[in-house]
Amino acid sequence: MDALGSGEERERLLADASGVADALGRLARASGHLEAHASRHGADRVGYILLKLLATEGPLRSNALAEALHADPSTISRHVSQMVRNGLVERTVDPDDKRACPLAITAKGRERLADLRRRRDETTARLLESWPGTDRAELARLLGRFVDEYERALPQLLTAVLEQRPLVGHAPETAPRGEN
């Protein structure tokens, strides 16, 4: 017996998981479309997350931001450079290591973050305004619980992804040459 159990309960669990995964996939596609559109108008998701991290955690080095976002440092560097040019963040001096330049959110960055949060909350409220209050509260509770579990399991999820073969772009290792 594996960790998912066996029999009918396992089948119900897998069916429920499939429904959740399908819904999350639809949400990711729709969010990606919205993100691409928003990015063309100066409101990108990574920038929002960087501002939020700097506002809540205080000054951080660029590599710490990359680690927190599970992103490539060069990607974060590009975002940070643009945010510095736009006056949303500033490079500071680390009193313990003069070579280091932690990044800090500026007053303009805090204003931008507050505006982005307000717009995000208003947009989400429009999506939920027809829902009864109990349903909205239950969604917030269950989604928060799911995200907590997902974040807790992230190291195992990353390992599982690395162990999988790509779905496209590579021939199966076991296929003989010339046979497709």
Side-chain angles (χ1 to χ4, degrees):
M1 178 171 23
D2 67 25
L4 296 178
S6 64
E8 287 182 30
E9 180 58 27
R10 182 180 197 278
E11 293 305 316
R12 283 193 298 272
L13 174 59
L14 289 172
D16 292 344
S18 181
V20 169
D22 288 346
L24 289 173
R26 290 176 41 221
L27 180 60
R29 284 189 301 279
S31 294
H33 179 73
L34 181 62
E35 184 179 334
H37 182 75
S39 181
R40 289 190 293 272
H41 298 326
D44 69 298
R45 181 183 60 85
V46 173
Y48 171 81
I49 295 170
L50 290 172
L51 287 175
K52 186 176 174 184
L53 272 172
L54 292 172
T56 57
E57 302 295 323
L60 294 169
R61 293 182 182 186
S62 189
N63 62 343
L65 290 169
E67 186 176 310
L69 270 69
H70 308 286
D72 186 83
S74 65
T75 300
I76 298 304
S77 179
R78 284 191 299 275
H79 278 278
V80 165
S81 293
Q82 184 65 44
M83 294 170 79
V84 168
R85 282 193 296 277
N86 291 340
L88 303 174
V89 299
E90 63 187 354
R91 299 183 193 284
T92 62
V93 176
D94 185 335
D96 298 326
D97 183 355
K98 302 292 187 214
R99 298 167 297 158
C101 296
L103 299 156
I105 190 168
T106 63
K108 183 177 178 181
R110 288 186 189 284
E111 289 172 16
R112 177 75 172 145
L113 178 61
D115 180 57
L116 290 170
R117 279 182 173 157
R118 179 189 52 76
R119 291 190 311 178
R120 177 205 62 187
D121 292 348
E122 287 174 356
T123 299
T124 304
R126 280 200 273 310
L127 294 171
L128 297 173
E129 68 186 340
S130 67
W131 291 35
T134 55
D135 287 358
R136 292 190 308 259
E138 186 72 355
L139 174 64
R141 184 185 71 76
L142 290 173
L143 188 56
R145 180 178 168 191
F146 180 82
V147 171
D148 288 345
E149 184 68 21
Y150 194 93
E151 289 174 337
R152 185 195 61 72
L154 194 56
Q156 294 89 347
L157 295 171
L158 291 170
T159 299
V161 166
L162 291 174
E163 292 172 353
Q164 293 177 0
R165 286 193 206 156
L167 295 176
V168 295
H170 298 282
E173 295 174 14
T174 57
R177 288 182 185 248
E179 293 182 27
N180 290 359

